[in-house]
Amino acid sequence: MIKKAIYIWTLAFAPIIYAQAPIVSDKDKTENIQEIKVDILEGLALPALDLIYEYALSYSSGTGASIKYYLGNQGDNDALAKFVFQPYYRQYFYQKQDFGISGVFVEGCLRYASGTTDDYDYDYETNSYPEPTKVNWGTAGIGCSVGKKWVNQSGFLFEVIIGGGRYLAPTYGPDGFFNGSFNVGFRF
């Protein structure tokens, strides 16, 4: 009889006891997740510094910005931008894990870039090109990328990105851009 009473009591009150457990929402898991990253591909391939910041909006999305500054002499390569500011939005398609904003993602970005290029004006009187003049350019663009992010439990992260886009009204600069990077950073 006592066993039946315990059994009935357990069945009757177990849902009530379970309902008292704290509810952890996706928002609580990603509240205040921020990341600082550096692009090691830009640093190794070019003398450039690319700093990236990302903030988690939810368990599966984030927004951030990248600031890139080219440290070397452009020389003959007019396609390199001296300065780039690129805000972005990411949507993550993750495997179920204990921490958000990681896994495969799709990124949409806006981009402002500026630099200098040589302007060659043909001289019709002498049928030749005189010495080129340096022209500053600046333009805005839009693009998209895909990538994957790995994060360990201590907050160290690594991500790979590939994509590109077009500048909307290029004047003297390039018509499009390539967005490829290997980023390392820390989540706090």
Side-chain angles (χ1 to χ4, degrees):
M1 180 74 172
I2 292 180
K3 286 183 183 181
K4 269 188 176 180
I6 292 174
Y7 182 71
I8 291 172
W9 185 86
T10 304
L11 286 177
F13 291 107
I16 295 171
I17 293 170
Y18 181 73
Q20 301 304 315
I23 298 172
V24 179
S25 69
D26 289 344
K27 184 178 179 185
D28 295 335
K29 292 179 184 178
T30 59
E31 190 172 309
N32 296 327
I33 290 180
Q34 301 176 53
E35 298 172 352
I36 298 287
K37 300 171 269 195
V38 99
D39 184 355
I40 58 175
L41 183 64
E42 292 283 343
L44 295 175
L46 305 168
L49 178 64
D50 189 2
L51 301 174
I52 304 131
Y53 170 80
E54 186 172 354
Y55 180 77
L57 296 174
S58 70
Y59 195 69
S60 61
S61 66
T63 187
S66 168
I67 296 178
K68 184 185 308 184
Y69 187 74
Y70 184 69
L71 302 170
N73 184 6
Q74 281 184 294
D76 293 333
N77 194 350
D78 293 337
L80 288 176
K82 186 76 172 167
F83 173 78
V84 173
F85 175 69
Q86 180 173 310
Y88 62 84
Y89 173 80
R90 288 183 179 169
Q91 185 67 45
Y92 290 89
F93 305 95
Y94 54 88
Q95 296 84 22
K96 186 67 177 163
Q97 297 175 353
D98 290 338
F99 37 89
I101 67 168
S102 64
V104 176
F105 61 84
V106 175
E107 170 185 297
C109 68
L110 299 174
R111 184 176 192 147
Y112 172 78
S114 64
T116 59
T117 188
D118 292 332
D119 184 24
Y120 295 94
D121 287 330
Y122 187 75
D123 187 357
Y124 291 101
E125 292 177 11
T126 62
N127 290 332
S128 64
Y129 286 100
E131 287 295 315
T133 58
K134 292 284 186 190
V135 177
N136 292 328
W137 60 270
T139 187
I142 189 168
C144 64
S145 302
V146 295
K148 180 156 175 133
K149 181 190 293 185
W150 296 270
V151 182
N152 69 9
Q153 290 181 354
S154 64
F156 179 78
L157 63 95
F158 175 75
E159 66 184 18
V160 178
I161 303 169
I162 189 163
R166 298 233 355 129
Y167 290 115
L168 301 176
T171 51
Y172 290 98
D175 292 332
F177 60 90
F178 172 72
N179 189 19
S181 61
F182 295 109
N183 300 330
V184 294
F186 191 74
R187 175 179 286 183
F188 55 95

